[in-house]
Amino acid sequence: MNTAALREVIQRALQHEAASAQLTRILETQVASLHPAIRLPAEDAQGVLARFIAAYVEQVPDVLDAAANVAREAGIESRIKPVLRVAEQFFLQPPALMVGHNGLEGLLDEAYLAHRLVEEVNDRYIVHFGQPLIPLDTTVANLIAHHLIGEPFANQLDEAVHHAVDGLLDEEVFSLPSAQAYRQQLHDPKVEEAWKRWPCMSGQLGVELQLNQGQREAG
């Protein structure tokens, strides 16, 4: 994994945003028209959203490093690393459909691809092990990012993720002896305690998704 290169790309985007305020200007026009399910604080909603996007992007290298470390501990690094490298390449060599998406706004698209890729791997781990590959819950954060990116483009990104995972991660990886041995370690109190330090990302960042908002408003 070359997450150091990812961190450099992200820092350049953050510096570009600090100098140009490009994303901030875009958010000025978007905050009022956000999906009603996205819940922001009454005060400084635009600032909270900007910080959410920056942190969502900045977390990608940490999430990939954590996933690679757990895969190594589980003895299935050779099977998982190719998937994580796809997420890495989304940043370093973005797919053709990302052309024209620049700065921090552009990295939101690439961060969404990377986080969704890890989420898909996590989902498969949950099916087989009862727990995710890494315990950071990005589900709500990914749904918020999906809304921010907007459809149909976000759906295209989802298709790219599904294609990558289906082509690289087969079911037999979970039946390897090393994977089965790792399954037995998951109930170790030390492991469970360590995982408690990985909270829900969106909750950390002050942005929530209220999926039944429309129903409440209609009621």
Side-chain angles (χ1 to χ4, degrees):
M1 300 295 295
N2 187 19
T3 51
L6 267 69
R7 296 178 199 278
E8 288 181 15
V9 170
I10 292 167
Q11 285 306 308
R12 285 199 298 270
L14 291 171
Q15 290 167 4
H16 176 269
E17 173 61 22
S20 68
Q22 176 180 319
L23 177 63
T24 303
R25 288 198 301 272
I26 292 171
L27 291 178
E28 285 176 359
T29 63
Q30 287 187 345
V31 167
S33 59
L34 285 176
H35 192 283
I38 297 177
R39 312 297 291 174
L40 295 168
E43 295 183 7
D44 192 28
Q46 179 182 316
V48 168
L49 195 57
R51 289 190 290 276
F52 166 82
I53 292 172
Y56 183 77
V57 169
E58 284 187 284
Q59 286 234 3
V60 169
D62 292 337
V63 168
L64 295 182
D65 280 341
N69 289 338
V70 174
R72 184 166 54 253
E73 292 172 6
I76 52 177
E77 183 180 26
S78 63
R79 301 297 190 96
I80 297 299
K81 264 202 170 179
V83 182
L84 301 180
R85 284 200 181 97
V86 171
E88 183 180 84
Q89 288 306 306
F90 284 151
F91 266 80
L92 303 181
Q93 297 177 341
L97 74 165
M98 315 287 265
V99 172
H101 294 246
N102 303 310
L104 197 55
E105 180 197 13
L107 285 193
L108 172 61
D109 302 337
E110 292 156 24
Y112 178 73
L113 280 168
H115 281 302
R116 282 284 292 110
L117 197 66
V118 173
E119 183 184 18
E120 286 293 321
V121 174
N122 265 352
D123 287 346
R124 298 194 184 200
Y125 263 71
I126 290 170
V127 168
H128 291 275
F129 291 164
Q131 292 184 226
L133 175 66
I134 60 170
L136 177 64
D137 184 2
T138 61
T139 304
V140 172
N142 289 340
L143 286 169
I144 292 169
H146 184 103
H147 285 308
L148 292 175
I149 292 167
E151 298 180 0
F153 186 58
N155 291 334
Q156 290 180 266
L157 300 181
D158 286 331
E159 284 299 316
V161 167
H162 289 304
H163 179 74
V165 173
D166 288 342
L168 289 170
L169 189 62
D170 53 47
E171 293 296 308
E172 63 186 42
V173 66
F174 299 102
S175 61
L176 294 172
S178 55
Q180 293 303 314
Y182 176 67
R183 183 203 299 263
Q184 303 305 315
Q185 300 173 20
L186 291 175
H187 301 296
D188 186 308
K190 291 181 180 178
V191 174
E192 292 178 351
E193 184 62 31
W195 280 24
K196 291 177 183 177
R197 296 196 294 268
W198 292 74
C200 170
M201 181 191 292
S202 62
Q204 281 182 287
L205 303 175
V207 183
E208 298 178 357
L209 194 70
Q210 192 170 338
L211 295 176
N212 61 348
Q213 175 68 13
Q215 296 174 349
R216 291 189 177 184
E217 289 178 351

